[in-house]
Amino acid sequence: NAGVTQTPKFRILKIGQSMTLQCTQDMNHNYMYWYRQDPGMGLKLIYYSVGAGITDKGEVPNGYNVSRSTTEDFPLRLELAAPSQTSVYFCASTTGGWQPQHFGDGTRLSIL
Amino acid sequence: DAKTTQPPSMDCAEGRAANLPCNHSTISGNEYVYWYRQIHSQGPQYIIHGLKNNETNEMASLIITEDRKSSTLILPHATLRDTAVYYCIVRVNTGNQFYFGTGTSLTVIP
């Protein structure tokens, strides 16, 4: 099992550009999550999904969109990149219940 | 929603036990406590979780007080590779969400 795979690992965007951060997991987990982590801070939840076709907002959803068309994939979309979205983005998944979340290695995004 | 409070930083001598405290005084009766660590901004690594009984695995032990308002993560023999930020998390039932605080930065000193 590869676990949770995130691509790309690094990206630099210009203000106003758009991009999609990819996340895929091969553990057949129903629950998937997107977090962002700013320097020196803990992770903040952006969006989450409890299964294919179902998504919901977390703490900091503004400026982002998600979709969940399959169990394996949970892409995060930035439509109009802003400097405030410079951060490290982590994707995670879990089977649910009381099981722990498994995290990817992150995408480091800079917006200039 | 249950929140957690942790000291911002701690030091521990190599080979000694590292005891990391966490306060979660608003925890609900069926909410678990989870511990993760993050090394050099890598993805958070799961360590251990528990409800009310003490738990132990190959990485650490988790001691939860009887009233469940606080817990302690114990790394029995800290090594330099244990230097990391440690997060104590209480899961929110809705959507199985985790809320991360700022964690404790543990430095293991040679």
Side-chain angles (χ1 to χ4, degrees):
Chain A
N1 285 350
V4 178
T5 302
Q6 294 184 237
T7 57
K9 295 190 183 304
F10 303 93
R11 184 72 183 266
I12 298 174
L13 283 182
K14 294 182 179 178
I15 295 172
Q17 286 186 320
S18 62
M19 79 162 293
T20 299
L21 282 66
Q22 301 292 344
C23 176
T24 187
Q25 52 89 11
D26 61 358
M27 298 173 284
N28 200 33
H29 287 172
N30 285 326
Y31 292 75
M32 295 188 73
Y33 307 82
W34 274 107
Y35 296 87
R36 61 175 287 173
Q37 185 175 34
D38 298 331
M41 305 297 289
L43 281 69
K44 292 190 179 297
L45 183 65
I46 305 172
Y47 271 96
Y48 67 98
S49 169
V50 301
I54 306 170
T55 63
D56 209 343
K57 297 178 181 178
E59 294 179 88
V60 290
N62 292 342
Y64 306 94
N65 282 300
V66 293
S67 59
R68 184 93 183 273
S69 57
T70 67
T71 299
E72 295 79 18
D73 300 308
F74 190 39
L76 178 71
R77 178 86 176 160
L78 282 71
E79 291 294 350
L80 290 171
S84 61
Q85 294 177 306
T86 293
S87 192
V88 181
Y89 291 83
F90 291 102
C91 179
S93 72
T94 181
T95 55
W98 301 109
Q99 295 305 308
Q101 295 183 12
H102 300 267
F103 285 79
D105 291 332
T107 293
R108 284 145 183 82
L109 180 63
S110 294
I111 299 163
L112 306 175
Chain B
D1 297 343
K3 303 297 184 186
T4 61
T5 304
Q6 298 176 253
S9 64
M10 294 181 62
D11 293 336
C12 178
E14 188 178 17
R16 304 295 295 270
N19 296 278
L20 290 85
C22 179
N23 179 284
H24 32 78
S25 58
T26 60
I27 194 170
S28 298
N30 62 347
E31 290 179 330
Y32 279 69
V33 178
Y34 297 78
W35 282 84
Y36 281 75
R37 72 181 183 184
Q38 190 175 27
I39 300 172
H40 296 311
S41 297
Q42 297 174 9
Q45 176 189 22
Y46 165 75
I47 301 172
I48 198 166
H49 72 287
L51 181 62
K52 53 185 177 182
N53 297 321
N54 298 338
E55 301 287 345
T56 296
N57 63 20
E58 65 278 5
M59 291 182 67
S61 296
L62 174 61
I63 309 298
I64 302 174
T65 58
E66 190 169 346
D67 63 8
R68 302 208 329 117
K69 293 185 177 182
S70 66
S71 61
T72 300
L73 178 74
I74 301 173
L75 307 178
H77 305 287
T79 71
L80 299 179
R81 289 176 293 179
D82 292 323
T83 292
V85 177
Y86 288 77
Y87 294 99
C88 168
I89 301 158
V90 175
R91 197 201 77 162
V92 175
N93 287 332
T94 303
N96 201 17
Q97 298 178 61
F98 284 3
Y99 283 92
F100 285 76
T102 52
T104 295
S105 178
L106 174 68
T107 301
V108 179
I109 302 169

